[in-house]
Amino acid sequence: MDQLKGYYWTIFEVFLALLTGSITTNVIIRQLYAINDVQFLGNISVIWFSVSFMIYGLESLIRLLIWKNSEQLKKRIRGYFFGAVFFISIIILIIPILKGEIPY
């Protein structure tokens, strides 16, 4: 039952990250791109998912610092896929600032 509860909690975390990522994209990232003269046009959903995964990853790292004995969090963060996607999500947010437009 504890494992099932952990899965439900993970699903809740993902939905919460998607909601927070949407708000963050429309409020903060839009302003950040406007400061750097990047028009907020194109496939914004790529930016939204990137911000959402960064929030999910940072939340996982913070939770691991608080609950150091959580095996589920340790397995999640030690995965190569988790690290690769977290790194790619950072790159996806930086490319429009460097390029001057959203290329997605």
Side-chain angles (χ1 to χ4, degrees), residues 3-85:
Q3 189 175 15
L4 186 62
K5 192 168 124 179
Y7 291 142
Y8 286 137
W9 179 254
T10 302
I11 291 170
F12 175 73
E13 284 178 318
V14 169
F15 282 123
L16 190 62
L18 287 171
L19 177 66
T20 308
S22 175
I23 294 168
T24 303
T25 300
N26 287 318
V27 175
I28 296 173
I29 301 298
R30 181 185 297 259
Q31 295 299 322
L32 178 68
Y33 286 174
I35 290 170
N36 291 301
D37 295 327
V38 176
Q39 290 188 0
F40 204 65
L41 300 172
N43 195 355
I44 304 302
S45 62
V46 174
I47 304 293
W48 169 45
F49 278 112
S50 177
V51 170
S52 297
F53 194 82
M54 280 185 51
I55 290 171
Y56 179 73
L58 291 174
E59 185 264 338
S60 295
L61 290 170
I62 291 169
R63 279 189 48 221
L64 185 62
L65 292 174
I66 295 170
W67 295 299
K68 295 179 181 178
N69 296 329
S70 175
E71 286 300 318
Q72 184 179 9
L73 285 172
K74 286 180 183 178
K75 287 180 185 177
R76 181 189 305 170
I77 292 175
R78 286 183 188 153
Y80 294 114
F81 184 73
F82 182 86
V85 174

